[in-house]
């Protein structure tokens, strides 16, 4: 699809040329630029002052070698990244992803999305993202620790509590954050809020672990209520079985739904009686086993190889919580044919552009990742606030703030869509609402 405004087409062409072989980044930029067309028609100053041209180019890309020694004494070398995208409204903020699929294009797409997501939270945080092609799966505790220490030895030169505050993402959970934090604290000889997702004994926030999954359900609930519906009595399909998936499953169940699927990169389980979440937590958070093992305790459930099949299960609400582009057009068609009513994205960019358009043109309520999964980073920002105050809020206090933030994100995205003549289109609404705050800050701060 081409743009109505020639400037946007030229900008998109530049992005593709300058970042060749980074299709995920192109996809993320295209989606945002398309949404912004009506804004730019009303406000050409954003073009004249180069706001868009500056937004698609990160402040800096940091790329480094991560050498470490495995348990056999063999030297291993991975590649590390931190992309500091935009700090017009606050310090760079965004997670670290450790997964073999990580390369510059993945971090570029995630960092770009993070700018708008962080703006939507209403909190003062800029956009950044980082990671490595290191795979924590199958590594010993010692190997994971040595890798994290080596990664942080380089990263520590570029981050600080008021500059750039990383967090977790795929492959980076509480264990990895602990090792990363320990090394940072040792190198700098300071105790500061430089990472979020920390353990509760050393500056972490209550409810941060639950925040992305809970926030996703609060957002979905608000969207459903706005259309006279709710989670009560609904069947929900969830993909993934990591941090986001587990706590989305918990909250959806608490809100009266029955979650019937979970998956990992090998396959998915279908339990028509509703997923036994306590057992999934034991398998995934404690024993670090595959989702297939669910059948050991629940032989009545089904396991199917291949994660894509999860979208062929009949459900009212789909919550993709695994990874980017996990719902393609074929999966979107299967969901719609099975009568799906709402799709809300827990993972980052889990639906392809074609899948998103198919949902929207078939009347499916669609909550885009930038808005729907912003609860994680919002609670990370609350962790930063608590660290600055040297104080801790209770679980209920943090959860209440998270709930309020998610309701506001829904309302702001819905309002922005309506204001620009695209009522009900939350993809456009989230992009516009997120963009306006950052763009106005950039205008105020001059050409930097
Ligand atoms: P975890 O590492 O805890 O879990 C990821 C889950 O997704 C695992 O079940 C994993 O299976 C599965 N998965 C990962 N890669 C693939 C793949 N290529 N194909 C199929 N399944 C895959 O990560 P999170 O739960 O933290 O993150 C999940 C998504 O949510 C990501 O898109 C992330 O960017 C996004 N997100 C996370 C936030 C957070 O606070 N954690 C905040 C906002 C967004 P396996 O174990 O087999 O790899």
């Amino acid at each position: 699809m081409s743009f109505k405004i020639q400037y946007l087409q030229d900008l998109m062409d530049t992005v593709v040329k300058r970042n060749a072989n980074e299709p995920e980044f192109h996809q993320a930029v295209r989606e945002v630029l398309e949404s912004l067309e009506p804004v730019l028609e009303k406000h050409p100053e954003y073009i004249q002052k180069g706001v868009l041209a500056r937004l698609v180019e990160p402040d800096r890309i940091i790329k480094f070698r991560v050498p470490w020694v495995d348990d056999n004494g063999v030297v291993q070398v991975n590649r590390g990244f931190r992309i500091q995208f935009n700090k017009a409204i606050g310090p760079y903020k965004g997670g670290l992803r450790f997964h073999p699929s990580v390369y510059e294009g993945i971090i570029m797409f995630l960092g770009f999305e993070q700018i708008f997501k962080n703006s939507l939270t209403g909190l003062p945080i800029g956009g950044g993202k980082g990671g490595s092609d290191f795979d924590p799966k199958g590594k010993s505790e010692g190997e994971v620790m040595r890798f994290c220490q080596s990664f942080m030895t380089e990263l520590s030169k570029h981050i600080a509590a008021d500059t750039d505050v990383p967090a977790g993402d795929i492959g980076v959970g509480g264990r990895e954050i602990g090792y990363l934090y320990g090394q940072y604290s040792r190198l700098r000889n300071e105790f500061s809020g430089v990472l979020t997702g920390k353990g509760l004994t050393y500056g972490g926030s209550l409810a941060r672990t639950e925040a992305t999954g809970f926030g996703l359900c609060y957002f979905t609930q608000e969207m459903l209520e706005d259309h006279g519906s709710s989670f009560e009595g609904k069947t929900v399909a969830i993909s993934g079985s990591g941090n986001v998936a587990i706590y989305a499953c918990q909250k959806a169940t608490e809100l009266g739904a029955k979650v019937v699927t979970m998956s990992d990169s090998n396959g998915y389980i279908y339990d028509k009686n509703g997923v036994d979440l306590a057992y999934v937590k034991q398998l995934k958070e404690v024993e670090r086993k595959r989702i297939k093992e669910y059948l050991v305790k629940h032989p009545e459930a089904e396991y199917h190889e291949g994660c894509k099949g999860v979208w062929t299960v009949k459900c009212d609400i789909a919550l993709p919580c695994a990874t980017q582009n996990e719902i393609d057009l074929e999966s979107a068609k299967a969901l719609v044919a099975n009568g799906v009513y709402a799709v809300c994205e827990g993972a980052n960019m889990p639906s392809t552009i074609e899948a998103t358009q198919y949902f929207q043109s078939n009347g499916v309520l669609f909550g885009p990742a930038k808005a729907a999964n912003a609860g994680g980073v919002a609670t990370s920002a609350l962790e930063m606030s608590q660290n600055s105050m040297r104080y801790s809020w209770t679980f209920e206090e943090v959860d209440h703030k998270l709930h309020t933030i998610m309701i506001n994100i829904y309302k702001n995205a819905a309002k922005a869509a309506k204001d620009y003549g695209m009522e009900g289109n939350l993809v456009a609404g989230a992009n516009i609402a997120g963009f306006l705050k950052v763009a106005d800050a950039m205008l105020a701060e001059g050409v930097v």
Side-chain angles (χ1 to χ4, degrees), residues 97 137 169-171 208 212 241-244 265 290 322-323 348:
R97 176 177 292 191
K137 252 187 255 137
D169 190 77
I170 291 178
R208 173 60 188 94
T212 310
S241 49
N243 173 265
V244 180
S265 49
R290 311 305 298 160
T323 194
N348 281 313

Side-chain angles (χ1 to χ4, degrees), residues 354-375:
E354 296 75 25
T356 303
Q357 286 167 349
Y358 191 78
F359 288 134
Q360 290 178 319
S361 57
N362 281 276
V364 176
L365 298 182
F366 185 79
K370 272 186 206 85
N373 74 21

Side-chain angles (χ1 to χ4, degrees), residues 22-72:
E22 296 184 2
E24 298 86 359
F25 180 52
H26 307 164
Q27 181 181 340
V29 173
R30 174 171 288 282
E31 185 210 279
V32 170
L33 295 186
E34 276 172 10
S35 301
L36 294 180
E37 281 198 310
V39 179
L40 301 172
E41 277 164 3
K42 260 195 194 169
H43 297 285
E45 66 272 21
Y46 294 130
I47 292 179
Q48 286 148 12
K49 303 274 181 182
V51 168
L52 289 160
R54 287 185 280 146
L55 258 180
V56 298
E57 188 63 22
D59 288 355
R60 66 191 60 78
I61 298 174
I62 301 152
K63 203 160 144 182
F64 49 96
R65 181 177 68 227
V66 190
W68 56 283
V69 181
D70 71 16
D71 287 347
N72 299 317

